[in-house]
Amino acid sequence: MSLIAKYLFSQNKRCGIHFIQKKNLSSNPVVRVEQGKLKGSTHNLLDGAPYYSFKGIPYAQPPVGELRFKAPLPPKSWNNTYEALKHGPVCPQLDMITSRLIEGNENCLYLNVYTKSLAASDKLPVMVFIHGGAFLNGSGNSDVYGPDFLLQHDVILVTINYRLEVLGFLNLDIPEVPGNAGIKDQVAALKWIKTNIDKFGGNPDNITIFGESAGAASVLYHMISPLSKDLFNKVIAQSGTCLEDWALNKDLKPRSFRVGKILGKDTDNPKELLKFLQSLPAKNLAGLTIKTRTQDEKYRGLPIFFTPTIEKDFDNVESFLNVNPLDALATGNISKVPIIAGYNSAECISMLPVIIKKANYRSKHPEYLVPKEIMLNVSTEKMKEFGKRINKFYFGDKEFTAEEIEAQINMLSDVNFTYNNNRFTYLYSTSNQPIYKYVLDYNSDLNTFKKLVGMSHLKGTCHTEDLSYLFSSKYTTKIYKEQERVRGLVFTLTKLWTNFAKTGDPTPDQSLGVKWQPYTTSGEEYLHIGEPLTLGHAANRERTEFWNQLYCEAGLPHIDTHK
């Protein structure tokens, strides 16, 4: 047995998990789903255990031609055995790191299933991951989202693609293009999984949807949408909520017409624009986010604009979202399921290179520090006052400059991630379902994104780095194999997540040394996921109370700390 296998064997034995020794499986597994037969392949996890892989499964019809921008249609059946041996194409997109166009293919509605058993009687818990990437980048492919770390705990992992940016979120406010096509793709994938996952050994009545960043906002939107009702049983939201400025766009129709103008069609007729946009190569519709910015958007918030939106009601058109998420939370009009929700300890380290470029301008115009949600609810004078107060709170008597690194990280993290996570947790806590709050604070060689942006000397876990501890990838496998400490960190986080997927409780026993208590408004409990795991109360209390005051003065729902 390898050193890795010996380590995992001891860990699994200590935590009461059956360790599956390597054995021979069929090299060409075949399952029959609703549409026909699927042929997969067999592989081995890093711990030596065998598993089945089914990649590139079509869960909807290709959204091409006249189906471009429209809600997905159910997949058609096939006669021959479909070879699910490699990933399907990724959606056309602009790589957020390199700014390189990835042509992909708009026929990109595919999912991937990884499982250690094909016996329906095993009823394995199912974990469906929805990738992030600002609704404009990414895929479910295993080069980033490999199954090795999660499958060691005997769950099924499903990853998906969905349409991105303009292809996924164009909104012309007409029945043909009401918006939200990309997130309706996610619904179609969840329906396919609910119907077929038992053929892969999964339990269709124990499905956990989880996502990071835009994926986290997505899973919380599914709790609100009537289209997603009863398609899942638990939710994990990492570093994002549906309350963020960047997660909801209330101004997509004029932006959609700006797309037409940029591409050569200056019209105010939505059907004329639709016909024009459907005639273009799909690759022409990628990478338009920055080009559609307003002057205000150049300095306020994150450049994420093609996102879910509140749809107009049309006859014979199913809406994904027809209420404001805040209203849904306030009225309790939301699926009530157990949740894990949290964020990383230093989210915006990853954004420092971009933030630093804007520091001088924001120093002279602190009103751009005010979140858009507040800006839309107060006068110009009040917004300027709020900007000065934000500057004073985080920077004292100093200016907002590139040198004030830690203060900038805290401020931008609060504006874009942490405060609204705290706010969502507070508002959902009256649902009579447990919500487990966390702050992830891992520091190891798996914190690869800090290295990428030249900030590895800074402490804390930045945006996206939680993913390195949940998924095997081309970036993490070598480090995982070489470092025992890293394997322990990976094991702990994946154990918490998979315990929750199995039972609805991330610490059903004391094997990890703590009992994670659900959040309550009186205790504001959370788990600090570091070395070691520690329980805490009122994460980032002083910063949270500062933002509570601003949201209160703006007349917006906030955390009432005086209850």
PDB file of all heavy atoms in Angstrom, residues 403-437:
ATOM      1  N   GLU A 403      -0.646  51.243  -0.711  1.00  0.00           N
ATOM      2  CA  GLU A 403       0.213  50.737   0.359  1.00  0.00           C
ATOM      3  C   GLU A 403      -0.586  50.131   1.517  1.00  0.00           C
ATOM      4  O   GLU A 403      -0.060  49.327   2.280  1.00  0.00           O
ATOM      5  CB  GLU A 403       1.105  51.875   0.889  1.00  0.00           C
ATOM      6  CG  GLU A 403       2.255  52.259  -0.034  1.00  0.00           C
ATOM      7  CD  GLU A 403       1.769  52.971  -1.284  1.00  0.00           C
ATOM      8  OE1 GLU A 403       0.804  53.765  -1.176  1.00  0.00           O
ATOM      9  OE2 GLU A 403       2.335  52.712  -2.363  1.00  0.00           O
ATOM     10  N   GLU A 404      -1.831  50.526   1.673  1.00  0.00           N
ATOM     11  CA  GLU A 404      -2.635  50.046   2.799  1.00  0.00           C
ATOM     12  C   GLU A 404      -3.263  48.693   2.452  1.00  0.00           C
ATOM     13  O   GLU A 404      -4.478  48.552   2.305  1.00  0.00           O
ATOM     14  CB  GLU A 404      -3.715  51.075   3.154  1.00  0.00           C
ATOM     15  CG  GLU A 404      -3.157  52.419   3.574  1.00  0.00           C
ATOM     16  CD  GLU A 404      -2.309  52.313   4.832  1.00  0.00           C
ATOM     17  OE1 GLU A 404      -2.709  51.594   5.758  1.00  0.00           O
ATOM     18  OE2 GLU A 404      -1.227  52.946   4.881  1.00  0.00           O
ATOM     19  N   ILE A 405      -2.398  47.678   2.324  1.00  0.00           N
ATOM     20  CA  ILE A 405      -2.818  46.397   1.766  1.00  0.00           C
ATOM     21  C   ILE A 405      -3.857  45.690   2.645  1.00  0.00           C
ATOM     22  O   ILE A 405      -4.924  45.297   2.167  1.00  0.00           O
ATOM     23  CB  ILE A 405      -1.597  45.478   1.547  1.00  0.00           C
ATOM     24  CG1 ILE A 405      -0.637  46.104   0.539  1.00  0.00           C
ATOM     25  CG2 ILE A 405      -2.058  44.092   1.079  1.00  0.00           C
ATOM     26  CD1 ILE A 405      -1.202  46.276  -0.840  1.00  0.00           C
ATOM     27  N   GLU A 406      -3.555  45.506   3.923  1.00  0.00           N
ATOM     28  CA  GLU A 406      -4.461  44.742   4.790  1.00  0.00           C
ATOM     29  C   GLU A 406      -5.821  45.420   4.900  1.00  0.00           C
ATOM     30  O   GLU A 406      -6.861  44.757   4.858  1.00  0.00           O
ATOM     31  CB  GLU A 406      -3.855  44.566   6.180  1.00  0.00           C
ATOM     32  CG  GLU A 406      -4.706  43.674   7.082  1.00  0.00           C
ATOM     33  CD  GLU A 406      -4.051  43.404   8.425  1.00  0.00           C
ATOM     34  OE1 GLU A 406      -2.893  43.816   8.633  1.00  0.00           O
ATOM     35  OE2 GLU A 406      -4.710  42.777   9.267  1.00  0.00           O
ATOM     36  N   ALA A 407      -5.819  46.754   5.028  1.00  0.00           N
ATOM     37  CA  ALA A 407      -7.084  47.482   5.121  1.00  0.00           C
ATOM     38  C   ALA A 407      -7.892  47.333   3.835  1.00  0.00           C
ATOM     39  O   ALA A 407      -9.122  47.177   3.868  1.00  0.00           O
ATOM     40  CB  ALA A 407      -6.825  48.955   5.412  1.00  0.00           C
ATOM     41  N   GLN A 408      -7.208  47.346   2.695  1.00  0.00           N
ATOM     42  CA  GLN A 408      -7.904  47.173   1.414  1.00  0.00           C
ATOM     43  C   GLN A 408      -8.503  45.773   1.304  1.00  0.00           C
ATOM     44  O   GLN A 408      -9.634  45.609   0.836  1.00  0.00           O
ATOM     45  CB  GLN A 408      -6.941  47.416   0.254  1.00  0.00           C
ATOM     46  CG  GLN A 408      -6.563  48.871   0.083  1.00  0.00           C
ATOM     47  CD  GLN A 408      -6.266  49.199  -1.368  1.00  0.00           C
ATOM     48  OE1 GLN A 408      -7.031  48.817  -2.244  1.00  0.00           O
ATOM     49  NE2 GLN A 408      -5.191  49.908  -1.617  1.00  0.00           N
ATOM     50  N   ILE A 409      -7.747  44.773   1.735  1.00  0.00           N
ATOM     51  CA  ILE A 409      -8.260  43.401   1.692  1.00  0.00           C
ATOM     52  C   ILE A 409      -9.529  43.290   2.536  1.00  0.00           C
ATOM     53  O   ILE A 409     -10.548  42.737   2.087  1.00  0.00           O
ATOM     54  CB  ILE A 409      -7.195  42.402   2.192  1.00  0.00           C
ATOM     55  CG1 ILE A 409      -6.020  42.345   1.220  1.00  0.00           C
ATOM     56  CG2 ILE A 409      -7.802  41.010   2.365  1.00  0.00           C
ATOM     57  CD1 ILE A 409      -4.818  41.605   1.764  1.00  0.00           C
ATOM     58  N   ASN A 410      -9.477  43.819   3.750  1.00  0.00           N
ATOM     59  CA  ASN A 410     -10.645  43.748   4.632  1.00  0.00           C
ATOM     60  C   ASN A 410     -11.842  44.483   4.040  1.00  0.00           C
ATOM     61  O   ASN A 410     -12.971  43.981   4.043  1.00  0.00           O
ATOM     62  CB  ASN A 410     -10.311  44.328   6.002  1.00  0.00           C
ATOM     63  CG  ASN A 410      -9.375  43.447   6.796  1.00  0.00           C
ATOM     64  OD1 ASN A 410      -9.251  42.249   6.526  1.00  0.00           O
ATOM     65  ND2 ASN A 410      -8.700  44.018   7.777  1.00  0.00           N
ATOM     66  N   MET A 411     -11.610  45.690   3.548  1.00  0.00           N
ATOM     67  CA  MET A 411     -12.710  46.495   3.025  1.00  0.00           C
ATOM     68  C   MET A 411     -13.363  45.837   1.813  1.00  0.00           C
ATOM     69  O   MET A 411     -14.584  45.662   1.757  1.00  0.00           O
ATOM     70  CB  MET A 411     -12.234  47.885   2.656  1.00  0.00           C
ATOM     71  CG  MET A 411     -13.368  48.806   2.220  1.00  0.00           C
ATOM     72  SD  MET A 411     -12.775  50.260   1.352  1.00  0.00           S
ATOM     73  CE  MET A 411     -12.134  49.525  -0.145  1.00  0.00           C
ATOM     74  N   LEU A 412     -12.562  45.459   0.821  1.00  0.00           N
ATOM     75  CA  LEU A 412     -13.119  44.878  -0.393  1.00  0.00           C
ATOM     76  C   LEU A 412     -13.728  43.502  -0.135  1.00  0.00           C
ATOM     77  O   LEU A 412     -14.702  43.114  -0.772  1.00  0.00           O
ATOM     78  CB  LEU A 412     -12.056  44.814  -1.488  1.00  0.00           C
ATOM     79  CG  LEU A 412     -11.904  46.064  -2.369  1.00  0.00           C
ATOM     80  CD1 LEU A 412     -13.191  46.360  -3.122  1.00  0.00           C
ATOM     81  CD2 LEU A 412     -11.458  47.271  -1.580  1.00  0.00           C
ATOM     82  N   SER A 413     -13.146  42.753   0.805  1.00  0.00           N
ATOM     83  CA  SER A 413     -13.735  41.463   1.171  1.00  0.00           C
ATOM     84  C   SER A 413     -15.116  41.676   1.787  1.00  0.00           C
ATOM     85  O   SER A 413     -16.065  40.954   1.470  1.00  0.00           O
ATOM     86  CB  SER A 413     -12.830  40.717   2.147  1.00  0.00           C
ATOM     87  OG  SER A 413     -11.585  40.397   1.556  1.00  0.00           O
ATOM     88  N   ASP A 414     -15.229  42.671   2.663  1.00  0.00           N
ATOM     89  CA  ASP A 414     -16.518  42.939   3.301  1.00  0.00           C
ATOM     90  C   ASP A 414     -17.555  43.388   2.286  1.00  0.00           C
ATOM     91  O   ASP A 414     -18.702  42.939   2.307  1.00  0.00           O
ATOM     92  CB  ASP A 414     -16.351  44.014   4.380  1.00  0.00           C
ATOM     93  CG  ASP A 414     -15.591  43.516   5.600  1.00  0.00           C
ATOM     94  OD1 ASP A 414     -15.445  42.288   5.745  1.00  0.00           O
ATOM     95  OD2 ASP A 414     -15.129  44.353   6.397  1.00  0.00           O
ATOM     96  N   VAL A 415     -17.167  44.289   1.389  1.00  0.00           N
ATOM     97  CA  VAL A 415     -18.106  44.824   0.405  1.00  0.00           C
ATOM     98  C   VAL A 415     -18.603  43.731  -0.538  1.00  0.00           C
ATOM     99  O   VAL A 415     -19.789  43.665  -0.855  1.00  0.00           O
ATOM    100  CB  VAL A 415     -17.439  45.958  -0.413  1.00  0.00           C
ATOM    101  CG1 VAL A 415     -18.301  46.333  -1.625  1.00  0.00           C
ATOM    102  CG2 VAL A 415     -17.219  47.181   0.460  1.00  0.00           C
ATOM    103  N   ASN A 416     -17.706  42.856  -0.972  1.00  0.00           N
ATOM    104  CA  ASN A 416     -18.040  41.917  -2.044  1.00  0.00           C
ATOM    105  C   ASN A 416     -18.400  40.508  -1.590  1.00  0.00           C
ATOM    106  O   ASN A 416     -18.976  39.755  -2.370  1.00  0.00           O
ATOM    107  CB  ASN A 416     -16.872  41.838  -3.034  1.00  0.00           C
ATOM    108  CG  ASN A 416     -16.646  43.147  -3.752  1.00  0.00           C
ATOM    109  OD1 ASN A 416     -17.549  43.665  -4.395  1.00  0.00           O
ATOM    110  ND2 ASN A 416     -15.452  43.702  -3.632  1.00  0.00           N
ATOM    111  N   PHE A 417     -18.066  40.149  -0.326  1.00  0.00           N
ATOM    112  CA  PHE A 417     -18.290  38.770   0.082  1.00  0.00           C
ATOM    113  C   PHE A 417     -18.781  38.608   1.526  1.00  0.00           C
ATOM    114  O   PHE A 417     -19.818  38.005   1.756  1.00  0.00           O
ATOM    115  CB  PHE A 417     -17.006  37.943  -0.113  1.00  0.00           C
ATOM    116  CG  PHE A 417     -16.539  37.893  -1.529  1.00  0.00           C
ATOM    117  CD1 PHE A 417     -15.480  38.679  -1.961  1.00  0.00           C
ATOM    118  CD2 PHE A 417     -17.165  37.068  -2.450  1.00  0.00           C
ATOM    119  CE1 PHE A 417     -15.058  38.655  -3.274  1.00  0.00           C
ATOM    120  CE2 PHE A 417     -16.748  37.028  -3.776  1.00  0.00           C
ATOM    121  CZ  PHE A 417     -15.696  37.821  -4.186  1.00  0.00           C
ATOM    122  N   THR A 418     -18.037  39.137   2.487  1.00  0.00           N
ATOM    123  CA  THR A 418     -18.263  38.703   3.864  1.00  0.00           C
ATOM    124  C   THR A 418     -19.525  39.302   4.487  1.00  0.00           C
ATOM    125  O   THR A 418     -20.249  38.602   5.182  1.00  0.00           O
ATOM    126  CB  THR A 418     -17.043  39.018   4.754  1.00  0.00           C
ATOM    127  OG1 THR A 418     -16.855  40.420   4.852  1.00  0.00           O
ATOM    128  CG2 THR A 418     -15.784  38.412   4.181  1.00  0.00           C
ATOM    129  N   TYR A 419     -19.787  40.591   4.258  1.00  0.00           N
ATOM    130  CA  TYR A 419     -20.951  41.171   4.934  1.00  0.00           C
ATOM    131  C   TYR A 419     -22.248  40.524   4.460  1.00  0.00           C
ATOM    132  O   TYR A 419     -23.109  40.174   5.268  1.00  0.00           O
ATOM    133  CB  TYR A 419     -21.043  42.690   4.749  1.00  0.00           C
ATOM    134  CG  TYR A 419     -22.290  43.213   5.433  1.00  0.00           C
ATOM    135  CD1 TYR A 419     -22.364  43.268   6.825  1.00  0.00           C
ATOM    136  CD2 TYR A 419     -23.421  43.558   4.709  1.00  0.00           C
ATOM    137  CE1 TYR A 419     -23.530  43.676   7.475  1.00  0.00           C
ATOM    138  CE2 TYR A 419     -24.581  43.976   5.342  1.00  0.00           C
ATOM    139  CZ  TYR A 419     -24.629  44.033   6.729  1.00  0.00           C
ATOM    140  OH  TYR A 419     -25.795  44.418   7.365  1.00  0.00           O
ATOM    141  N   ASN A 420     -22.401  40.341   3.169  1.00  0.00           N
ATOM    142  CA  ASN A 420     -23.653  39.761   2.685  1.00  0.00           C
ATOM    143  C   ASN A 420     -23.788  38.294   3.049  1.00  0.00           C
ATOM    144  O   ASN A 420     -24.905  37.783   3.158  1.00  0.00           O
ATOM    145  CB  ASN A 420     -23.796  39.974   1.181  1.00  0.00           C
ATOM    146  CG  ASN A 420     -24.455  41.302   0.876  1.00  0.00           C
ATOM    147  OD1 ASN A 420     -25.489  41.635   1.440  1.00  0.00           O
ATOM    148  ND2 ASN A 420     -23.842  42.081   0.003  1.00  0.00           N
ATOM    149  N   ASN A 421     -22.651  37.611   3.239  1.00  0.00           N
ATOM    150  CA  ASN A 421     -22.735  36.250   3.759  1.00  0.00           C
ATOM    151  C   ASN A 421     -23.283  36.276   5.183  1.00  0.00           C
ATOM    152  O   ASN A 421     -24.166  35.489   5.544  1.00  0.00           O
ATOM    153  CB  ASN A 421     -21.359  35.585   3.721  1.00  0.00           C
ATOM    154  CG  ASN A 421     -21.416  34.115   4.049  1.00  0.00           C
ATOM    155  OD1 ASN A 421     -21.585  33.736   5.195  1.00  0.00           O
ATOM    156  ND2 ASN A 421     -21.281  33.281   3.026  1.00  0.00           N
ATOM    157  N   ASN A 422     -22.774  37.212   5.997  1.00  0.00           N
ATOM    158  CA  ASN A 422     -23.289  37.358   7.352  1.00  0.00           C
ATOM    159  C   ASN A 422     -24.768  37.739   7.334  1.00  0.00           C
ATOM    160  O   ASN A 422     -25.569  37.247   8.132  1.00  0.00           O
ATOM    161  CB  ASN A 422     -22.493  38.430   8.106  1.00  0.00           C
ATOM    162  CG  ASN A 422     -21.051  38.015   8.357  1.00  0.00           C
ATOM    163  OD1 ASN A 422     -20.732  36.824   8.389  1.00  0.00           O
ATOM    164  ND2 ASN A 422     -20.162  38.980   8.533  1.00  0.00           N
ATOM    165  N   ARG A 423     -25.133  38.628   6.405  1.00  0.00           N
ATOM    166  CA  ARG A 423     -26.519  39.081   6.318  1.00  0.00           C
ATOM    167  C   ARG A 423     -27.443  37.948   5.893  1.00  0.00           C
ATOM    168  O   ARG A 423     -28.521  37.771   6.460  1.00  0.00           O
ATOM    169  CB  ARG A 423     -26.615  40.259   5.343  1.00  0.00           C
ATOM    170  CG  ARG A 423     -27.991  40.913   5.324  1.00  0.00           C
ATOM    171  CD  ARG A 423     -27.987  42.311   4.719  1.00  0.00           C
ATOM    172  NE  ARG A 423     -27.602  42.378   3.343  1.00  0.00           N
ATOM    173  CZ  ARG A 423     -28.217  43.152   2.423  1.00  0.00           C
ATOM    174  NH1 ARG A 423     -29.256  43.906   2.768  1.00  0.00           N
ATOM    175  NH2 ARG A 423     -27.792  43.191   1.195  1.00  0.00           N
ATOM    176  N   PHE A 424     -27.032  37.166   4.892  1.00  0.00           N
ATOM    177  CA  PHE A 424     -27.851  36.030   4.462  1.00  0.00           C
ATOM    178  C   PHE A 424     -28.033  35.049   5.609  1.00  0.00           C
ATOM    179  O   PHE A 424     -29.142  34.559   5.860  1.00  0.00           O
ATOM    180  CB  PHE A 424     -27.217  35.319   3.267  1.00  0.00           C
ATOM    181  CG  PHE A 424     -28.049  34.162   2.765  1.00  0.00           C
ATOM    182  CD1 PHE A 424     -28.958  34.341   1.737  1.00  0.00           C
ATOM    183  CD2 PHE A 424     -27.947  32.896   3.343  1.00  0.00           C
ATOM    184  CE1 PHE A 424     -29.754  33.291   1.293  1.00  0.00           C
ATOM    185  CE2 PHE A 424     -28.737  31.845   2.913  1.00  0.00           C
ATOM    186  CZ  PHE A 424     -29.642  32.042   1.884  1.00  0.00           C
ATOM    187  N   THR A 425     -26.936  34.740   6.304  1.00  0.00           N
ATOM    188  CA  THR A 425     -27.004  33.793   7.420  1.00  0.00           C
ATOM    189  C   THR A 425     -28.005  34.265   8.460  1.00  0.00           C
ATOM    190  O   THR A 425     -28.842  33.485   8.946  1.00  0.00           O
ATOM    191  CB  THR A 425     -25.613  33.634   8.062  1.00  0.00           C
ATOM    192  OG1 THR A 425     -24.687  33.199   7.071  1.00  0.00           O
ATOM    193  CG2 THR A 425     -25.652  32.617   9.192  1.00  0.00           C
ATOM    194  N   TYR A 426     -27.941  35.528   8.801  1.00  0.00           N
ATOM    195  CA  TYR A 426     -28.862  36.103   9.802  1.00  0.00           C
ATOM    196  C   TYR A 426     -30.308  36.007   9.321  1.00  0.00           C
ATOM    197  O   TYR A 426     -31.195  35.565  10.066  1.00  0.00           O
ATOM    198  CB  TYR A 426     -28.485  37.563  10.061  1.00  0.00           C
ATOM    199  CG  TYR A 426     -29.491  38.318  10.884  1.00  0.00           C
ATOM    200  CD1 TYR A 426     -29.507  38.217  12.278  1.00  0.00           C
ATOM    201  CD2 TYR A 426     -30.432  39.145  10.275  1.00  0.00           C
ATOM    202  CE1 TYR A 426     -30.441  38.916  13.039  1.00  0.00           C
ATOM    203  CE2 TYR A 426     -31.368  39.843  11.023  1.00  0.00           C
ATOM    204  CZ  TYR A 426     -31.365  39.726  12.402  1.00  0.00           C
ATOM    205  OH  TYR A 426     -32.298  40.410  13.133  1.00  0.00           O
ATOM    206  N   LEU A 427     -30.574  36.401   8.076  1.00  0.00           N
ATOM    207  CA  LEU A 427     -31.947  36.426   7.574  1.00  0.00           C
ATOM    208  C   LEU A 427     -32.510  35.015   7.414  1.00  0.00           C
ATOM    209  O   LEU A 427     -33.717  34.803   7.603  1.00  0.00           O
ATOM    210  CB  LEU A 427     -32.007  37.170   6.241  1.00  0.00           C
ATOM    211  CG  LEU A 427     -31.690  38.674   6.312  1.00  0.00           C
ATOM    212  CD1 LEU A 427     -31.558  39.265   4.902  1.00  0.00           C
ATOM    213  CD2 LEU A 427     -32.763  39.412   7.101  1.00  0.00           C
ATOM    214  N   TYR A 428     -31.646  34.046   7.075  1.00  0.00           N
ATOM    215  CA  TYR A 428     -32.135  32.670   6.877  1.00  0.00           C
ATOM    216  C   TYR A 428     -32.312  31.928   8.201  1.00  0.00           C
ATOM    217  O   TYR A 428     -33.035  30.928   8.263  1.00  0.00           O
ATOM    218  CB  TYR A 428     -31.170  31.885   5.986  1.00  0.00           C
ATOM    219  CG  TYR A 428     -31.682  30.500   5.639  1.00  0.00           C
ATOM    220  CD1 TYR A 428     -32.706  30.334   4.709  1.00  0.00           C
ATOM    221  CD2 TYR A 428     -31.153  29.360   6.244  1.00  0.00           C
ATOM    222  CE1 TYR A 428     -33.186  29.080   4.401  1.00  0.00           C
ATOM    223  CE2 TYR A 428     -31.624  28.103   5.943  1.00  0.00           C
ATOM    224  CZ  TYR A 428     -32.644  27.962   5.016  1.00  0.00           C
ATOM    225  OH  TYR A 428     -33.135  26.720   4.712  1.00  0.00           O
ATOM    226  N   SER A 429     -31.685  32.409   9.258  1.00  0.00           N
ATOM    227  CA  SER A 429     -31.653  31.652  10.516  1.00  0.00           C
ATOM    228  C   SER A 429     -33.024  31.507  11.164  1.00  0.00           C
ATOM    229  O   SER A 429     -33.187  30.719  12.094  1.00  0.00           O
ATOM    230  CB  SER A 429     -30.685  32.308  11.507  1.00  0.00           C
ATOM    231  OG  SER A 429     -31.124  33.611  11.852  1.00  0.00           O
ATOM    232  N   THR A 430     -34.030  32.245  10.683  1.00  0.00           N
ATOM    233  CA  THR A 430     -35.395  32.111  11.228  1.00  0.00           C
ATOM    234  C   THR A 430     -36.185  31.025  10.511  1.00  0.00           C
ATOM    235  O   THR A 430     -37.379  30.849  10.777  1.00  0.00           O
ATOM    236  CB  THR A 430     -36.144  33.446  11.099  1.00  0.00           C
ATOM    237  OG1 THR A 430     -36.238  33.807   9.700  1.00  0.00           O
ATOM    238  CG2 THR A 430     -35.427  34.550  11.854  1.00  0.00           C
ATOM    239  N   SER A 431     -35.548  30.272   9.617  1.00  0.00           N
ATOM    240  CA  SER A 431     -36.267  29.301   8.768  1.00  0.00           C
ATOM    241  C   SER A 431     -36.563  27.984   9.465  1.00  0.00           C
ATOM    242  O   SER A 431     -37.222  27.119   8.894  1.00  0.00           O
ATOM    243  CB  SER A 431     -35.436  29.005   7.525  1.00  0.00           C
ATOM    244  OG  SER A 431     -34.262  28.279   7.874  1.00  0.00           O
ATOM    245  N   ASN A 432     -36.046  27.806  10.687  1.00  0.00           N
ATOM    246  CA  ASN A 432     -36.187  26.540  11.417  1.00  0.00           C
ATOM    247  C   ASN A 432     -35.411  25.398  10.771  1.00  0.00           C
ATOM    248  O   ASN A 432     -35.682  24.225  11.044  1.00  0.00           O
ATOM    249  CB  ASN A 432     -37.665  26.142  11.570  1.00  0.00           C
ATOM    250  CG  ASN A 432     -38.444  27.136  12.418  1.00  0.00           C
ATOM    251  OD1 ASN A 432     -37.929  27.618  13.437  1.00  0.00           O
ATOM    252  ND2 ASN A 432     -39.657  27.462  12.004  1.00  0.00           N
ATOM    253  N   GLN A 433     -34.462  25.748   9.911  1.00  0.00           N
ATOM    254  CA  GLN A 433     -33.517  24.772   9.369  1.00  0.00           C
ATOM    255  C   GLN A 433     -32.119  25.206   9.783  1.00  0.00           C
ATOM    256  O   GLN A 433     -31.826  26.409   9.854  1.00  0.00           O
ATOM    257  CB  GLN A 433     -33.613  24.704   7.846  1.00  0.00           C
ATOM    258  CG  GLN A 433     -34.821  23.968   7.328  1.00  0.00           C
ATOM    259  CD  GLN A 433     -34.740  22.464   7.544  1.00  0.00           C
ATOM    260  OE1 GLN A 433     -33.668  21.908   7.736  1.00  0.00           O
ATOM    261  NE2 GLN A 433     -35.887  21.809   7.522  1.00  0.00           N
ATOM    262  N   PRO A 434     -31.222  24.269  10.063  1.00  0.00           N
ATOM    263  CA  PRO A 434     -29.876  24.666  10.494  1.00  0.00           C
ATOM    264  C   PRO A 434     -29.091  25.338   9.377  1.00  0.00           C
ATOM    265  O   PRO A 434     -29.158  24.920   8.226  1.00  0.00           O
ATOM    266  CB  PRO A 434     -29.227  23.333  10.896  1.00  0.00           C
ATOM    267  CG  PRO A 434     -29.971  22.294  10.107  1.00  0.00           C
ATOM    268  CD  PRO A 434     -31.390  22.799  10.007  1.00  0.00           C
ATOM    269  N   ILE A 435     -28.361  26.391   9.732  1.00  0.00           N
ATOM    270  CA  ILE A 435     -27.403  26.988   8.822  1.00  0.00           C
ATOM    271  C   ILE A 435     -26.068  27.041   9.558  1.00  0.00           C
ATOM    272  O   ILE A 435     -25.948  27.638  10.630  1.00  0.00           O
ATOM    273  CB  ILE A 435     -27.844  28.371   8.303  1.00  0.00           C
ATOM    274  CG1 ILE A 435     -26.775  28.947   7.363  1.00  0.00           C
ATOM    275  CG2 ILE A 435     -28.207  29.337   9.422  1.00  0.00           C
ATOM    276  CD1 ILE A 435     -27.275  30.117   6.513  1.00  0.00           C
ATOM    277  N   TYR A 436     -25.091  26.342   9.015  1.00  0.00           N
ATOM    278  CA  TYR A 436     -23.769  26.230   9.626  1.00  0.00           C
ATOM    279  C   TYR A 436     -22.850  27.256   8.976  1.00  0.00           C
ATOM    280  O   TYR A 436     -22.587  27.203   7.776  1.00  0.00           O
ATOM    281  CB  TYR A 436     -23.209  24.826   9.429  1.00  0.00           C
ATOM    282  CG  TYR A 436     -24.008  23.745  10.112  1.00  0.00           C
ATOM    283  CD1 TYR A 436     -25.035  23.068   9.444  1.00  0.00           C
ATOM    284  CD2 TYR A 436     -23.751  23.398  11.436  1.00  0.00           C
ATOM    285  CE1 TYR A 436     -25.771  22.073  10.072  1.00  0.00           C
ATOM    286  CE2 TYR A 436     -24.482  22.402  12.071  1.00  0.00           C
ATOM    287  CZ  TYR A 436     -25.496  21.751  11.381  1.00  0.00           C
ATOM    288  OH  TYR A 436     -26.226  20.764  12.014  1.00  0.00           O
ATOM    289  N   LYS A 437     -22.368  28.184   9.767  1.00  0.00           N
ATOM    290  CA  LYS A 437     -21.530  29.272   9.262  1.00  0.00           C
ATOM    291  C   LYS A 437     -20.054  28.956   9.498  1.00  0.00           C
ATOM    292  O   LYS A 437     -19.704  28.393  10.534  1.00  0.00           O
ATOM    293  CB  LYS A 437     -21.907  30.578   9.969  1.00  0.00           C
ATOM    294  CG  LYS A 437     -21.129  31.784   9.494  1.00  0.00           C
ATOM    295  CD  LYS A 437     -21.625  33.042  10.188  1.00  0.00           C
ATOM    296  CE  LYS A 437     -20.814  34.239   9.740  1.00  0.00           C
ATOM    297  NZ  LYS A 437     -20.850  34.388   8.285  1.00  0.00           N
TER     298      LYS A 437
END
